[in-house]
Amino acid sequence: MNCAIALWCDEATFRAVQACAEDRRAHTGTYNLITYNCLTFCDEALAAGGIHLLTESGRELHTIVPKDAFRDVDQVEGAHPFEAWKYWFPLGEPPSNGLRTIQDVPGTDKPLE
């Protein structure tokens, strides 16, 4: 994954998204790169909280490369963009622990210590 969208929402919305994610963890279903992947999971979980990522073109977020879909997102309903809200990480070697943190100031992302 080399992209992220940062949003903030109220507690009730967050709890609905979290409940959907926890339910999926308990009932994993079948992963399919084309029809049910990390992007479709995120879209499903956000929708459970009433959050919808909207694209200028009106296309739904279906692709095997999440960054390509997120590039098309230009607004959101049910939550609020946070700071720059769309982050792109350089392609290349990830930090040794595999995680990065997203800083409030775009361009200052750092590996997790």
Side-chain angles (χ1 to χ4, degrees):
M1 175 61 91
N2 59 353
C3 61
I5 291 182
L7 306 169
W8 64 272
C9 60
D10 62 35
E11 186 173 348
T13 299
F14 170 77
R15 290 197 186 283
V17 172
Q18 184 180 37
C20 179
E22 292 298 330
D23 181 65
R24 179 57 62 190
R25 185 191 319 225
H27 307 95
T28 56
T30 303
Y31 179 89
N32 182 306
L33 181 62
I34 305 299
T35 60
Y36 193 81
N37 55 43
C38 58
L39 176 66
T40 51
F41 163 76
C42 290
D43 198 34
E44 178 183 285
L46 290 173
I51 299 172
H52 302 281
L53 301 177
L54 306 174
T55 64
E56 186 175 300
S57 69
R59 290 188 324 227
E60 291 190 19
L61 300 179
H62 291 286
T63 179
I64 59 172
V65 182
K67 183 168 72 170
D68 291 346
F70 287 161
R71 283 188 196 281
D72 198 35
V73 173
D74 66 345
Q75 55 184 316
V76 62
E77 287 182 350
H80 307 278
F82 179 71
E83 297 287 336
W85 89 288
K86 295 199 314 187
Y87 296 87
W88 312 109
F89 304 121
L91 295 175
E93 291 298 314
S96 60
N97 60 15
L99 301 172
R100 289 188 182 208
T101 58
I102 299 175
Q103 304 298 308
D104 290 342
V105 178
T108 60
D109 304 298
K110 299 176 182 175
L112 196 60
E113 299 286 330

